Amino acid sequence: MSAVNTLVLASGNAGKLNEFNQLLSPLGFDIRPQADFGVQDVEETGLTFVENALLKAREASLVSGFPALADDSGLEVDALHGAPGIYSARYAGEPKSDEKNNQKLLAALSECAEGQRSGRYWCVLVYLRHPEDPVPVIVQRSWEGEILAHPRGTGGFGYDPLFWLPDQGMSVAELPSESKNRLSHRGRALQGLVELLKVAHG
Amino acid sequence: MSAVNTLVLASGNAGKLNEFNQLLSPLGFDIRPQADFGVQDVEETGLTFVENALLKAREASLVSGFPALADDSGLEVDALHGAPGIYSARYAGEPKSDEKNNQKLLAALSECAEGQRSGRYWCVLVYLRHPEDPVPVIVQRSWEGEILAHPRGTGGFGYDPLFWLPDQGMSVAELPSESKNRLSHRGRALQGLVELLKVAHG
């Protein structure tokens, strides 16, 4: 492969950009945010995480002219038949609010006893070589946990204060970020992507 | 899991139905063709194999009320910048014709020397638990080969007479069907799906 391959990240999140660059720059990728190319957010009309990630990656690749990377993620709660799922970020409506989403989740589970509050975070990553790439690289990873009845911790974002990790004995919002990057759905999806790109580009 | 789980195959191909049943019935799945439930073919408007497979599986699950399995597959030829790709079955237009598709492929590669005719078959399988399942099981497998200048063999279907396997010293249309099921993009995708369903349903 050439010395540096530019890759557009279909996200405006600085934390994600940093995390992706740390893991992918050793492979010769230079990850650039979509804002550098004037890419606008697209409407997420898909019914699956992978379809929404593909919509975002395709727009980023189309506008920028470079290969693109996108993620889509959310929380699946068994007692709620999978909700909030692909609607996790907008569960309590627009404008998106972590606080309102967490309140809505607690209310939805108010009748639900301990031991019946299982769920999992999902992260789906796609890598599109060009806008019409028929075979994107796709990685899907989950992170099992339980939904707390009261928030704990101040780290992370999204539903992290309500997401209890039995193995760790703490919520994700209480977990040190180094551990989170190693254990989380997103961290392990990114590691999976790195393995697949090593094969494809190594 | 219960003794028998009905699963709808979003395809009208009897050969595929038989192949899927052979591998999945030991796991307790009873694979039924979508025609049993009056499922109609949907328009394949996706830009990737996985999006087209999801469209087919979603329709089959919606109409039948059961979990659904779909595949989408095609041929990617490097000298043609990936064509015919997701348009492989309809490369020479409608009505679909293997013969016309093969003729069009030969014509498109007529100026292309031996050693520059590399390509691969792709098969993408998806398993959807219900029409709004946000995290379908997805398996993507390829089969590397070269495009011949003249057809060889009478077995298989699609581009098989033009798809040369250097390791086997024959075209796919010359390969015994037992070997094809073991080596092919579809056979290995199906084996991959079985492994994933064992984890999810075992």
Side-chain angles (χ1 to χ4, degrees):
Chain A
M1 68 189 294
S2 59
V4 172
N5 281 348
T6 298
L7 218 161
V8 181
L9 181 63
S11 165
N13 185 311
K16 282 187 196 173
L17 183 71
N18 189 34
E19 202 178 325
F20 281 69
N21 254 322
Q22 278 179 23
L23 275 161
L24 291 172
S25 63
L27 296 186
F29 288 103
D30 175 34
I31 318 289
R32 306 262 304 270
Q34 66 175 13
D36 282 9
F37 302 92
V39 181
Q40 308 280 320
D41 284 340
V42 289
E43 207 185 338
E44 300 182 23
T45 55
L47 286 177
T48 54
F49 295 117
V50 68
E51 285 165 304
N52 281 333
L54 282 168
L55 289 172
K56 292 187 268 191
R58 191 172 290 132
E59 177 72 8
S61 179
L62 193 65
V63 173
S64 70
F66 287 105
L69 201 58
D71 80 325
D72 200 48
S73 48
L75 179 67
E76 182 182 46
V77 178
D78 297 321
L80 303 177
H81 308 290
I86 57 168
Y87 306 105
S88 293
R90 40 188 158 143
Y91 187 39
E94 301 275 1
K96 294 170 186 172
S97 157
D98 282 351
E99 195 186 334
K100 286 186 182 166
N101 287 339
N102 278 274
Q103 283 167 358
K104 183 170 176 178
L105 181 62
L106 284 178
L109 291 174
S110 61
E111 307 286 306
C112 194
E114 220 185 307
Q116 298 171 353
R117 301 170 71 101
S118 58
R120 63 208 55 79
Y121 268 132
W122 279 102
C123 176
V124 177
L125 287 177
V126 305
Y127 167 66
L128 215 55
R129 294 169 294 175
H130 57 82
E132 299 198 349
D133 183 353
V135 199
V137 175
I138 301 170
V139 184
Q140 304 188 122
R141 292 290 186 278
S142 63
W143 200 13
E144 294 288 327
E146 286 158 27
I147 311 305
L148 289 165
H150 302 282
R152 287 181 60 144
T154 55
F157 60 96
Y159 298 93
D160 288 354
L162 294 181
F163 197 79
W164 178 254
L165 304 166
D167 289 350
Q168 308 295 320
M170 59 180 80
S171 78
V172 175
E174 293 172 313
L175 195 68
S177 66
E178 197 188 23
S179 303
K180 186 182 176 186
N181 288 343
R182 187 167 43 84
L183 298 172
S184 77
H185 53 313
R186 183 171 293 104
R188 288 183 303 106
L190 201 44
Q191 291 153 26
L193 183 79
V194 166
E195 292 308 312
L196 289 171
L197 291 180
K198 272 184 191 167
V199 174
H201 292 263
Chain B
M1 67 188 292
S2 59
V4 172
N5 280 348
T6 298
L7 219 162
V8 181
L9 181 63
S11 165
N13 185 311
K16 281 187 198 175
L17 183 72
N18 188 33
E19 202 178 326
F20 280 69
N21 253 323
Q22 277 178 23
L23 274 161
L24 289 172
S25 64
L27 296 186
F29 288 104
D30 174 35
I31 318 290
R32 306 261 305 271
Q34 65 175 14
D36 282 8
F37 303 92
V39 181
Q40 307 279 320
D41 285 341
V42 289
E43 208 187 337
E44 299 182 24
T45 55
L47 287 176
T48 53
F49 295 117
V50 70
E51 285 166 304
N52 281 334
L54 283 168
L55 289 172
K56 292 186 268 190
R58 190 171 291 130
E59 178 72 7
S61 179
L62 193 65
V63 173
S64 70
F66 287 104
L69 202 59
D71 80 324
D72 201 49
S73 49
L75 179 66
E76 182 181 46
V77 178
D78 296 321
L80 303 176
H81 309 289
I86 57 168
Y87 306 105
S88 294
R90 39 188 159 144
Y91 187 38
E94 302 276 359
K96 295 170 185 172
S97 157
D98 282 353
E99 194 185 336
K100 285 185 182 165
N101 288 339
N102 277 276
Q103 282 167 359
K104 183 170 174 177
L105 182 61
L106 284 178
L109 291 174
S110 61
E111 308 286 307
C112 195
E114 219 184 306
Q116 297 170 356
R117 300 169 71 100
S118 58
R120 63 208 56 78
Y121 267 131
W122 279 104
C123 177
V124 177
L125 287 178
V126 305
Y127 167 67
L128 214 55
R129 294 169 294 174
H130 57 82
E132 299 198 350
D133 183 352
V135 200
V137 175
I138 301 170
V139 184
Q140 305 189 123
R141 293 289 186 278
S142 62
W143 200 12
E144 294 289 325
E146 286 158 27
I147 311 305
L148 290 164
H150 302 282
R152 286 181 61 145
T154 55
F157 62 94
Y159 299 93
D160 288 354
L162 294 181
F163 197 78
W164 178 254
L165 303 167
D167 290 350
Q168 307 295 321
M170 59 181 79
S171 78
V172 175
E174 293 173 313
L175 196 66
S177 67
E178 197 189 24
S179 304
K180 187 182 176 186
N181 288 342
R182 186 167 43 83
L183 298 172
S184 77
H185 54 312
R186 184 171 293 104
R188 289 184 303 104
L190 200 44
Q191 291 153 25
L193 183 79
V194 166
E195 292 308 312
L196 290 171
L197 291 180
K198 272 184 192 167
V199 174
H201 291 262

